[in-house]
Amino acid sequence: MELLIIFISASIVNNFVLSYFLGICPFLGVSNKLEKAVSMGLATTFVMVLAAMVTWLINNLILIPFNLPFLQYVSFIIVIASLVQFVEMFIRKTSPALYRALGIFLPLITTNCAILGLALMSVLREYSFIQSLVFGLAAGLGFTLALCIMAGIREELELAPIPEPFKGAPITLIIAGLLALAFMGFAGLITG
Amino acid sequence: MATNKVKRTLFFEFTKGLWNESPVFRQLLGMCPTLAVTTSAINGFSMGLATTFVLVCSSTIISAIRKLIPSQVRIASYVVIIATFVTVADLFLKANFADISKALGPFVPLIVVNCLILGRAEAYASRHSPLPAFVDALGMGIGFTFALLVLGTIRQIFGTGTVFGLISFEPWVIMILPAGAFITLGFLIALINFLKQSTKKKELAPACEVK
Amino acid sequence: MNKILRMIVVLTVIGIISGAILALVYTWSLPKIVENETKATDAAIFTVLPDTKTYKKVVALDLTYYDCFDESGAKVGTAILCQGNGYQGAITLMVGVNADFTEFTGMTVLDQVETPGLGAKIGSSDFERQFNGLVTKPPIEYVTGGGTVHLPNEIQAITGATISSAAVVNIINKTVKEWLQIK
């Protein structure tokens, strides 16, 4: 039950992109084509789940026992960066087809603040290992969801007559604002 | 003559971050903190200062040791240096400005992954000597702080419904919600695009006549 | 080989320097951070039980509460730390009860992520002040909309933020009940 609450909360109610503003850069950058959005979303979800596990282990097995909380940021970011590198190499070796689909997005994921944000938030909320795992999966899927919705809208938008100054980033931001408003309708889903 | 030239370029490096290459309005870098912490002017301003501190320190250090770092591990080295300064900034805020630190929450540590900082390190600091790198970082930092301050002020005025206590009107709750952040920034960038387009037309007009 | 060695040396040196700087800054800032946290707790306890001069922290099961004493060492009451789910996320608050547990002496919201401008008003002094002097039995109730408060155990919910107001009431009732069992 508790896991379900974490899942719904992280994927929909407190969507990482639309209510925590995490991962805005890829959200604005790669949301112009639905196909790209799906690939990017899935690659991010994959790294998020891995990052949630590894950072939990580092925090609870190394940083807390040795009383080194001040090394948290440094160690987390290194772990995430090397994780991304590792995933990239692994995919390239095992599945060239998947690599062609996801490859170019992988380096971008390192500077996606959603990943570091996820790691820091699960520390802050004192999640257990399983809880962190679910949190990572849910946040990743929520990110994918937001990305896909946005991509769907932007594909239609290309046909719309937009005033010149609003073309590109401004109209995307305004649509994101409307989406955030729509997602507010989910708030209150998990009370009680 | 030579000093004059250096001075002029330094001045150019400094001012480009303020307007022409403004990190937020032009390059769309560092969007996450821009949107998240600008619920009030003071929050936006503190976030801007913290980011500027990290940006200036890490750019200067990276530029100073740029020749020692092998290029294969440069990103890893940059990230460690940046994360170190972010932790310093975070601890400093927690120790001396507990309220601000609480208001900014997880967005202080997230300065680490602010693409602006890594972007400047990779694109500028790793190719220039410490002095220009310092000036470039300072300009970008101030440009970033300015953008956050503007956004924070606009959202605060509409969200709380008062202009510094002088005029008061019905507050627009949406402005301090996440949705308000996206929409305000969207309109601001559109406004800047509009200004840029109209000035460009004026500049180009005589040239066209000559032809 | 030489290249790899250089990579390792550079990364190690950067790591060591960074670790050393952080350890230094951390030892410098830790006492201040602890002091800030104590100050925040002090302020919260003083808000809900203004007569407090000294207090003793008690942690039992999942509950944290502070037994509070005045200058002469007589018990003035207990400040209880309460936590629960609000409309959008966790709410943490502190509530004070007097020594013979007949009425609430005050309430202050410590942490909340409710909607700014609506639910976030649970942190306003107008809302918090309603809890001063409420009777402890029966449990707190809330009145919605334009209704007025009649009974000594009722508070007025914030217009447009009934769920947040209700969440505060539920959190307090639940925690106080648990506290009575372990007291």
Side-chain angles (χ1 to χ4, degrees):
Chain A
M1 188 57 202
E2 210 190 338
L3 292 179
L4 189 69
I5 289 180
I6 292 177
F7 188 85
I8 293 177
S9 163
S11 59
I12 297 176
V13 181
N14 290 317
N15 188 283
F16 261 46
V17 177
L18 297 171
S19 69
Y20 287 152
F21 304 104
L22 295 172
I24 300 288
C25 300
F27 180 66
L28 297 179
V30 292
S31 63
N32 47 357
K33 283 277 177 293
L34 191 57
E35 203 179 320
K36 263 205 284 184
V38 175
S39 307
M40 179 68 179
L42 291 181
T44 310
T45 310
F46 185 57
V47 177
M48 270 179 149
V49 174
L50 281 180
M53 290 195 292
V54 178
T55 52
W56 189 92
L57 291 174
I58 290 200
N59 194 46
N60 286 277
L61 299 183
I62 301 177
L63 297 183
I64 293 180
F66 291 99
N67 194 22
L68 297 167
F70 54 89
L71 288 182
Q72 218 176 50
Y73 307 158
V74 179
S75 53
F76 281 12
I77 189 69
I78 291 193
V79 164
I80 292 169
S82 23
L83 210 61
V84 172
Q85 198 93 51
F86 174 76
V87 168
E88 193 184 346
M89 289 192 304
F90 183 77
I91 294 182
R92 191 189 291 176
K93 285 263 152 56
T94 52
S95 160
L98 192 64
Y99 180 75
R100 271 197 297 279
L102 298 184
I104 47 164
F105 300 114
L106 285 167
L108 278 177
I109 296 176
T110 314
T111 48
N112 184 342
C113 34
I115 316 248
L116 186 63
L118 171 96
L120 293 170
M121 263 194 244
S122 42
V123 170
L124 208 65
R125 297 181 184 175
E126 296 172 351
Y127 279 158
S128 71
F129 185 71
I130 301 292
Q131 282 173 326
S132 303
L133 202 69
V134 172
F135 186 52
L137 182 67
L141 291 179
F143 177 77
T144 313
L145 178 70
L147 215 59
C148 291
I149 296 177
M150 195 65 198
I153 297 176
R154 280 181 73 177
E155 279 187 355
E156 297 294 315
L157 214 60
E158 279 174 9
L159 307 170
I162 304 162
E164 192 61 37
F166 278 94
K167 274 191 181 149
I171 192 73
T172 313
L173 281 165
I174 290 167
I175 289 170
L178 297 178
L179 273 181
L181 263 186
F183 267 68
M184 272 188 68
F186 291 114
L189 205 65
I190 45 158
T191 48
Chain B
M1 194 61 198
T3 40
N4 197 7
K5 198 182 166 194
V6 170
K7 254 184 202 160
R8 208 156 70 204
T9 34
L10 279 186
F11 182 71
F12 170 75
E13 300 298 353
F14 179 69
T15 47
K16 71 171 190 244
L18 302 183
W19 182 254
N20 276 336
E21 293 179 24
S22 165
V24 175
F25 296 136
R26 281 288 159 70
Q27 307 187 57
L28 301 179
L29 289 175
M31 299 308 273
C32 308
T34 307
L35 293 163
V37 301
T38 50
T39 47
S40 71
I42 181 74
N43 282 357
F45 187 63
S46 340
M47 185 67 192
L49 283 190
T51 310
T52 307
F53 165 77
V54 176
L55 183 58
V56 168
C57 292
S58 52
S59 271
T60 315
I61 299 276
I62 286 169
S63 139
I65 61 168
R66 69 188 188 282
K67 285 181 183 134
L68 299 174
I69 304 175
S71 65
Q72 295 90 336
V73 291
R74 65 182 195 286
I75 299 289
S77 321
Y78 299 165
V79 163
V80 173
I81 293 168
I82 294 169
T84 308
F85 284 112
V86 169
T87 316
V88 170
D90 185 43
L91 289 170
F92 177 78
L93 280 178
K94 270 188 189 147
N96 294 327
F97 302 97
D99 292 342
I100 292 177
S101 161
K102 203 176 157 192
L104 297 180
F107 286 95
V108 179
L110 286 178
I111 297 176
V112 178
V113 280
N114 189 327
C115 3
L116 170 62
I117 297 177
L118 198 60
R120 284 335 280 172
E122 173 74 0
Y124 198 92
S126 63
R127 289 178 199 148
H128 293 82
S129 53
L131 186 62
F134 170 81
V135 174
D136 168 77
L138 193 66
M140 285 290 167
I142 293 174
F144 185 69
T145 311
F146 172 72
L148 260 64
L149 184 64
V150 170
L151 205 56
T153 312
I154 295 175
R155 289 179 67 193
Q156 188 176 9
I157 286 175
F158 285 107
T160 54
T162 60
V163 183
F164 308 113
L166 296 175
I167 316 160
S168 55
F169 50 91
E170 184 66 24
W172 302 2
V173 172
I174 184 183
M175 293 302 274
I176 32 181
L177 296 177
F182 284 115
I183 294 172
T184 314
L185 187 62
F187 275 101
L188 264 180
I189 294 179
L191 177 71
I192 285 166
N193 284 349
F194 177 72
L195 289 178
K196 193 183 159 200
Q197 278 160 9
S198 50
T199 50
K200 213 181 226 171
K201 266 175 208 153
K202 269 178 216 155
E203 279 166 12
L204 286 177
C208 291
E209 276 171 13
V210 171
K211 266 181 188 173
Chain C
M1 194 59 216
N2 199 10
K3 224 175 191 176
I4 294 174
L5 194 72
R6 193 169 153 210
M7 272 158 61
I8 295 171
V9 169
V10 168
L11 271 185
T12 319
V13 170
I14 291 179
I16 291 172
I17 294 175
S18 132
I21 292 175
L22 288 184
L24 230 107
V25 176
Y26 183 67
T27 38
W28 166 80
S29 63
L30 189 63
K32 286 191 175 183
I33 294 172
V34 172
E35 191 190 308
N36 282 336
E37 278 164 6
T38 334
K39 257 190 207 154
T41 315
D42 283 356
I45 292 175
F46 189 72
T47 315
V48 295
L49 279 164
D51 295 331
T52 307
K53 281 288 172 290
T54 58
Y55 61 84
K56 198 173 104 237
K57 184 179 175 179
V58 187
V59 180
L61 297 175
D62 284 346
L63 283 184
T64 304
Y65 59 91
Y66 302 86
D67 283 325
C68 302
F69 308 93
D70 66 5
E71 287 151 326
S72 61
K75 193 174 177 186
V76 288
T78 308
I80 308 167
L81 200 64
C82 311
Q83 224 168 1
N85 268 338
Y87 184 61
Q88 280 186 311
I91 298 178
T92 311
L93 54 88
M94 179 95 83
V95 72
V97 292
N98 61 1
D100 39 359
F101 191 65
T102 50
E103 62 180 39
F104 288 103
T105 52
M107 186 279 280
T108 181
V109 175
L110 301 176
D111 242 334
Q112 50 102 352
V113 286
E114 301 303 282
T115 321
L118 293 170
K121 283 185 189 160
I122 56 169
S124 69
S125 54
D126 280 345
F127 183 72
E128 290 180 346
R129 216 180 301 134
Q130 293 191 70
F131 290 83
N132 296 0
L134 280 189
V135 295
T136 51
K137 282 170 208 159
I140 309 174
E141 301 270 347
Y142 57 90
V143 182
T144 55
T148 45
V149 173
H150 296 293
L151 301 170
N153 70 327
E154 281 179 348
I155 59 135
Q156 175 97 48
I158 298 162
T159 315
T162 311
I163 298 178
S164 297
S165 316
V168 170
V169 169
N170 290 337
I171 291 166
I172 295 177
N173 286 341
K174 191 179 123 261
T175 316
V176 168
K177 203 171 134 198
E178 283 169 12
W179 174 71
L180 281 175
Q181 283 164 0
I182 56 167
K183 182 171 71 126

